Amino acid sequence: MTDTDTRIQPRKPGLTRRQRRRLSRGAQYAVFVAAVAAFAATADWGRLKNQFAQAHIARQMFPDIITVALKNTVLYTLSGFVVGLALGMVIALMRLSSVGPYRWVAGIYIEIFRGLPALLIFIFVGVGVPLAFPSLVYPGGTYGKVAVALGLVSAAYMAETIRAGIQAVPKGQMEAARSLGFSPARAMVSIIVPQAFRIILPPLTNELVLLFKDSSLVLFLGVTLEERELSKFGNDLASTTANSTPILVAGLCYLLITVPLGFVVRRMESRTQEAIR
């Protein structure tokens, strides 16, 4: 056999790149289905149902879980978000200031409150501040305490988000505003900040979702029956009934808010990316 005959011999057929990709995807699906099937086969569904899915216990939670717990959770979250947004705006502008002490104070605040666990901030607001200032009274009682605590937690993150949004606005916008006779402060408020908020709206909405979950720390402040939020409400009923169904129902109520908000965040992020393109 000559070298020419050797070269023209047909090669053994092999898998194409697309076929290998399909085979890999099929193997991943098979592993996933096998894992789900193994979980379903080994789990004790009867015990899970007895502990987490008692319909008569779930019915006892209504309508209070909506009219009291969910309502308070939403109020706590919104009040904390408003305080955090206002404080975060101030901290962000201080961070961008040409005055050195302002930048240092803003930087220290951000590092401290981003590094501390939210639980410690709640304890500080609920216990430490009243001890240091006995005559201090929070407006709104518990609602005021929660607004301050959640605001302090979120302001550090919002400040960095707002700062990044302001710096993302083209510098030519400020130069154009100054050429039209705007003062730096007026240009920042009227021109730069509105454009920055259009950029940072998705991450701010995501921060709202995180605050909604952080509102569960309210239970460490000591609340009355009418001031309970979802976690406290579910935990109290779980202790009373010796069953975890109330905790599951409370978790589902959280999802009623966080899942739609998560969808809104994804939609806004996709629209922002399309606008950039």
Side-chain angles (χ1 to χ4, degrees), residues 15-195:
L15 296 177
T16 65
R17 181 178 299 178
R18 178 176 298 180
Q19 289 173 332
R20 290 196 298 269
R21 188 162 54 246
R22 288 178 178 177
L23 183 61
S24 175
R25 188 182 302 116
Q28 294 176 30
Y29 281 129
V31 171
F32 175 76
V33 171
V36 172
F39 173 78
T42 55
D44 191 337
W45 295 105
R47 295 182 64 183
L48 286 174
K49 180 180 178 181
N50 290 333
Q51 187 64 25
F52 289 96
Q54 292 296 316
H56 69 281
I57 296 178
R59 284 193 293 268
Q60 296 175 12
M61 303 176 67
F62 292 89
D64 288 348
I65 192 172
I66 302 297
T67 59
V68 176
L70 183 59
K71 180 198 73 174
N72 285 334
T73 300
V74 172
L75 290 177
Y76 292 149
T77 303
L78 293 180
S79 61
F81 183 80
V82 170
V83 173
L85 184 61
L87 182 58
M89 173 62 73
V90 174
I91 297 298
L93 294 177
M94 291 174 63
R95 184 85 170 182
L96 296 172
S97 174
S98 59
V99 181
Y102 287 170
R103 294 197 307 271
W104 304 333
V105 171
I108 293 172
Y109 176 90
I110 290 171
E111 293 302 324
I112 289 177
F113 283 92
R114 282 200 308 181
L116 288 176
L119 174 58
L120 294 183
I121 297 175
F122 269 80
I123 295 175
F124 170 75
V125 171
V127 179
V129 173
L131 287 176
F133 305 97
S135 60
L136 177 65
V137 178
Y138 287 99
T142 300
Y143 293 94
K145 290 181 183 179
V146 176
V148 172
L150 287 178
L152 291 174
V153 169
S154 62
Y157 297 95
M158 289 190 188
E160 286 294 88
T161 300
I162 295 171
R163 178 189 62 80
I166 291 174
Q167 291 180 329
V169 177
K171 294 182 179 180
Q173 297 292 315
M174 175 62 79
E175 296 172 354
R178 294 300 306 278
S179 67
L180 293 174
F182 284 73
S183 66
R186 185 183 175 192
M188 179 65 70
V189 173
S190 303
I191 306 298
I192 305 301
V193 170
Q195 295 185 59

Side-chain angles (χ1 to χ4, degrees), residues 255-268:
L255 293 178
L256 288 176
I257 303 296
T258 57
V259 171
L261 279 178
F263 175 77
V264 170
V265 170
R266 290 190 295 272
R267 289 289 297 173
M268 288 191 297

